[in-house]
């Protein structure tokens, strides 16, 4: 009888330890095309590296690649995350005066101005969701 109780206790403890070892210790990041937020969402709210949690509607946010979300692959020389507007004057060559650009962002977007060294000064608005990665 004592052997049966001891064996049962050993099996129960072993099963419990196995269950705990396979339980994730922290929430996993959502992967490409998986949900990452929205009203009443209780799952992961961050995306794997290189992905951006993008608002689809008030109840659904989805992980998308930066390229598919329209997020910039460059930094901002003026403006940037949280900026409602920016102005930027391109680098001048021998007193040419340069070109000045500017942009004002609508709600849900931020203003970004930069010099791409090919086309000169650029100004564009990007979704605020680009700032979350």
């Amino acid at each position: 009888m004592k052997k049966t109780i001891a064996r049962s206790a050993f099996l129960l403890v072993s099963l419990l330890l196995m269950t705990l070892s396979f339980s994730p210790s922290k929430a996993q990041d959502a992967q490409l095309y998986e949900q990452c937020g929205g009203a009443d969402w209780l799952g992961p709210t961050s995306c794997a590296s290189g992905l951006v949690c993008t608002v689809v509607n008030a109840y659904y946010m989805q992980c998308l690649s930066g390229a598919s979300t329209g997020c910039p692959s460059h930094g901002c020389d003026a403006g940037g995350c949280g900026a409602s507007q920016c102005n930027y004057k391109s680098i001048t060559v021998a007193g040419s005066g340069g070109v000045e650009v500017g942009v004002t962002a609508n709600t849900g977007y931020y203003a970004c101005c930069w010099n791409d060294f090919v086309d000169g000064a650029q100004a564009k608005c990007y979704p605020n969701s680009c700032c979350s990665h």
Side-chain angles (χ1 to χ4, degrees):
M1 182 77 164
K2 287 183 180 181
K3 284 186 177 182
T4 303
I5 294 173
R7 176 175 270 156
S8 296
F10 175 77
L11 290 174
L12 182 60
V13 169
S14 297
L15 182 60
L16 179 62
L17 289 174
M18 286 176 50
T19 302
L20 291 175
S21 68
F22 288 111
S23 298
S25 59
K26 69 174 196 115
Q28 296 276 333
D29 288 340
Q31 301 300 310
L32 185 62
Y33 305 122
E34 290 181 346
Q35 187 170 357
C36 56
D40 301 323
W41 173 246
L42 299 175
T45 56
S46 60
C47 298
S49 180
L51 303 177
V52 177
C53 191
T54 306
V55 175
V56 175
N57 60 46
Y59 298 94
Y60 190 78
M61 296 170 72
Q62 183 180 44
C63 291
L64 298 172
S65 71
S68 65
T69 62
C71 295
S73 58
H74 54 78
C76 301
D77 294 321
C81 292
S84 60
Q85 62 183 5
C86 67
N87 291 296
Y88 183 77
K89 189 170 186 177
S90 66
I91 298 171
T92 63
V93 178
S96 67
V99 175
E100 189 166 350
V101 297
V103 68
T104 300
N106 290 327
T107 302
Y109 291 82
Y110 69 93
C112 179
C113 296
W114 75 100
N115 187 0
D116 71 5
F117 300 105
V118 175
D119 297 317
Q122 305 288 315
K124 188 172 179 182
C125 297
Y126 294 101
N128 286 336
S129 59
C130 294
C131 297
S132 64
H133 63 289

